[in-house]
Amino acid sequence: MSTTVREVVVAQLRARGMTTVFGNPGSTELPMFRDFPNDFHYVLGLQESVVLGMADGYAQATGSAALVNLHSAAGVGHAMGNLFTAWRNRTPLVVTAGQQARSLLVGEPFLMNDRATELPRPYVKWSCEPARAQDVPAALARAFHVAMTPPRGPVFLSIPVDDWDRPADPGFDPNPRPLGATMRPDPYLAEALRSALDAAERPVIVVGAEVDRDHAFDEVVALAERHQARVWAAPLSPRCGFPEDHPLFAGFLPAARGPLREALTGHDLVLVLGAPAFTFHVEDEGPLLPPECSLFQVVEDADTAAWTPLGTSLVGGVRATVAEILTRSSPAPRPTPPPRERLPRVSDDVLTEALLLQTLADERPDASIVVEEAPTTRVAMQARLPFVRPESFFTCASGGLGHGMPAAVGVALARPAQPVVALLGDGSSMYSIQALWSAAREGVPVTFVVVDNGGYAALDGFAERFRISKPVGTSVTGIDYAGLARDMGCTGLTVRWPDELVSALRQAFASTVPTLLHVHVH
């Protein structure tokens, strides 16, 4: 009896540990799941953007590629927002979508994706519709390797509906090949960086998401301490790359040229680790760096290094590069920079964002992970809720909304032993509210904290740059988020007053089911 394409793919996925499937199936995907294996887990999302977001969180938390199954053209279209976010997050995803039967593709059948491989571009590393059914397993093997090779990212496969029951190539081996992914920089440039860092009088380090993704947290701390260098978080970094309670931590660089240059004034060398140099959100004028300040960058993506406007870029892994520098660096003694100024605690008279974040910092379990999508609340979060461990903070690198709520579900599925907190804006929550149903269905005890300030308040503040007093379309009122949570199978609690906050948080953290706190802030 011949082995089918589906049977080989199942064996292949099992050998790679990819037995969790995130999906929202349609007619052209059903044959993929004939005789669905008992050791596989299908995580259902009620909308394709939710599916992508859950898979993104899961892949980031596991550190390995996650499998996503979408429905033809419309389903891929629904998922594009969070596919863009996965691209910016450098998240390894293998995204599959159904295609109409090959025998029908000469015409224009219903549900056909006419340009299947073009639709998800440019936000995938590789896109393929195999020429033959027998090529599907080999294409999947290539997709996994491409997704996992630095810089990591999503890939896409379009698979015709009638491929799954075709005979497989008898010569294909479903067992995975070893994947070597350690990237080391040019040794000449590494030595130039070491020499410049040792000779600098006032070096400063800027850390980005790659520090966390490359498991370089401890090495970067050791480097900063050896050189007594201030450490800034890169503008809009989506991960925690340095303990934010460390005496050398300086804070978060602004995403504007002038304020960033001012923050770096007084330093003679800037070392950017695992981040662009730099990500800006608003236009500004003037030089990138203060006078007489040089720049070195260590980044895994050659494209990012190529557009860095000045300085020296080393293309390689952060961990390998920093570890190599640590073996040979020997700087002269430097004075310890003054610590970052700490804000005084706020009073509990009024339920403000500052009080919410301060209380969340007090009450959340030590090992908890925070997934954030609350743009207006981010400043208060950075001031009041420090992250001090690797892989303890995730947010969206793209600026798109609708990622945080499903990503928290995916993180919780990947890390069942760690409490997960989703810190969400009221407006952004509505982009992917269906994720609450998936959280309830999967039984993951995520604490969803929805910060209700009555709309897209981040845009109100941003509008001032354009001298707009009140932009249109930013008011979002009259939604009972706790009621929505209850209707989807979660616990829903409403918090309107300061004296209700602590008890609500404690109830949520003690719960074994997903709980949403609808927090009205002033």
Side-chain angles (χ1 to χ4, degrees):
M1 182 179 296
S2 64
T3 302
T4 66
V5 168
R6 179 180 52 258
E7 290 168 334
V8 173
V9 166
V10 167
Q12 186 179 6
L13 294 173
R14 185 179 287 119
R16 295 189 184 280
M18 297 175 69
T19 56
T20 298
V21 184
F22 296 87
N24 181 284
S27 56
T28 54
E29 288 73 46
L30 290 178
M32 178 181 180
F33 302 113
R34 190 194 311 277
D35 303 321
F36 193 70
N38 292 331
D39 60 327
F40 277 52
H41 179 200
Y42 190 90
V43 181
L44 175 61
L46 300 185
Q47 209 267 5
E48 286 87 352
S49 65
V50 171
V51 171
L52 240 296
M54 290 192 296
D56 185 311
Y58 186 85
Q60 288 198 69
T62 60
S64 188
L67 179 64
V68 181
N69 183 246
L70 305 175
H71 180 42
S72 193
V76 176
H78 288 160
M80 279 299 295
N82 273 335
L83 186 63
F84 170 59
T85 292
W87 170 261
R88 292 297 187 194
N89 285 351
R90 305 294 193 193
T91 302
L93 298 176
V94 176
V95 181
T96 64
Q99 173 65 292
Q100 261 290 9
R102 291 181 185 272
S103 61
L104 296 176
L105 293 181
V106 68
E108 293 189 5
F110 188 63
L111 297 178
M112 174 188 179
N113 191 345
D114 185 43
R115 298 183 179 184
T117 60
E118 296 178 38
L119 179 58
R121 291 189 180 275
Y123 302 121
V124 292
K125 293 181 66 179
W126 184 60
S127 187
C128 174
E129 185 174 279
R132 306 177 305 159
Q134 296 95 323
D135 297 330
V136 170
L140 183 64
R142 178 178 176 182
F144 178 83
H145 280 262
V146 173
M148 289 294 292
T149 300
R152 294 179 174 184
V155 296
F156 178 79
L157 292 179
S158 171
I159 305 174
V161 65
D162 52 342
D163 281 7
W164 296 104
D165 293 312
R166 302 285 187 187
D169 180 353
F172 178 78
D173 183 0
N175 295 305
R177 296 181 291 112
L179 180 65
T182 300
M183 297 176 61
R184 298 189 178 279
D186 180 280
Y188 173 81
L189 294 180
E191 174 57 25
L193 169 57
R194 182 209 63 77
S195 177
L197 195 56
D198 280 1
E201 295 183 6
R202 297 174 305 280
V204 62
I205 298 173
V206 178
V207 294
E210 287 174 30
V211 172
D212 201 27
R213 286 199 298 264
D214 202 26
H215 307 289
F217 207 82
D218 292 341
E219 287 80 1
V220 172
V221 171
L223 184 70
E225 291 177 345
R226 179 170 299 181
H227 288 273
Q228 288 298 299
R230 283 182 178 273
V231 179
W232 288 91
L236 304 171
S237 178
R239 304 276 286 260
C240 173
F242 196 82
E244 294 169 11
D245 63 348
H246 194 285
L248 291 173
F249 185 67
F252 303 85
L253 284 178
R257 183 181 290 250
L260 181 143
R261 184 175 61 247
E262 183 179 349
L264 297 178
T265 295
H267 297 285
D268 57 350
L269 184 144
V270 177
L271 172 57
V272 180
L273 296 175
F278 295 94
T279 300
F280 294 132
H281 191 197
V282 294
E283 63 178 339
D284 205 348
E285 298 178 347
L288 183 68
L289 295 177
E292 301 179 0
C293 183
S294 61
L295 182 141
F296 280 81
Q297 177 189 45
V298 179
V299 67
E300 65 185 5
D301 182 15
D303 286 341
T304 300
W307 66 254
T308 299
L310 51 80
T312 303
S313 293
L314 288 71
V315 177
V318 173
R319 186 178 185 185
T321 304
V322 173
E324 183 175 336
I325 292 172
L326 281 170
T327 61
R328 302 197 310 274
S329 67
S330 182
R334 299 187 181 101
T336 302
R340 179 188 182 198
E341 183 179 351
R342 299 293 178 181
L343 294 176
R345 290 179 66 85
V346 296
S347 69
D348 58 2
D349 296 337
V350 180
L351 184 46
T352 60
E353 291 178 338
L355 178 62
L356 168 61
L357 273 297
Q358 176 179 284
T359 308
L360 183 57
D362 292 341
E363 297 294 332
R364 73 183 181 114
D366 289 340
S368 60
I369 299 170
V370 173
V371 182
E372 179 263 333
E373 191 181 290
T376 309
T377 307
R378 192 165 297 158
V379 172
M381 179 192 73
Q382 292 172 345
R384 305 283 175 181
L385 181 59
F387 300 101
V388 300
R389 301 184 326 278
E391 299 181 325
S392 60
F393 173 73
F394 300 89
T395 192
C396 162
S398 71
L401 300 181
H403 171 264
M405 184 175 281
V409 178
V411 171
L413 287 168
R415 302 283 185 89
Q418 292 181 260
V420 175
V421 180
L423 180 63
L424 309 163
D426 51 345
S428 64
S429 295
M430 293 306 298
Y431 280 71
S432 54
I433 198 71
Q434 303 95 328
L436 294 174
W437 184 90
S438 297
R441 185 175 190 263
E442 297 297 327
V444 288
V446 178
T447 298
F448 299 96
V449 179
V450 175
V451 186
D452 189 345
N453 54 26
Y456 300 117
L459 287 181
D460 289 338
F462 200 79
E464 296 177 3
R465 291 190 58 88
F466 302 105
R467 295 185 292 278
I468 300 172
S469 59
K470 177 60 180 177
V472 298
T474 60
S475 178
V476 181
T477 59
I479 299 173
D480 181 3
Y481 295 93
L484 285 173
R486 289 191 292 269
D487 287 345
M488 293 195 189
C490 304
T491 298
L493 305 173
T494 300
V495 179
R496 295 183 181 275
W497 307 106
D499 58 3
E500 299 172 337
L501 184 56
V502 170
S503 60
L505 283 170
R506 290 178 180 177
Q507 179 179 339
F509 292 141
S511 178
T512 58
V513 298
T515 301
L516 184 145
L517 273 60
H518 180 184
V519 183
H520 294 262
V521 296
H522 301 280

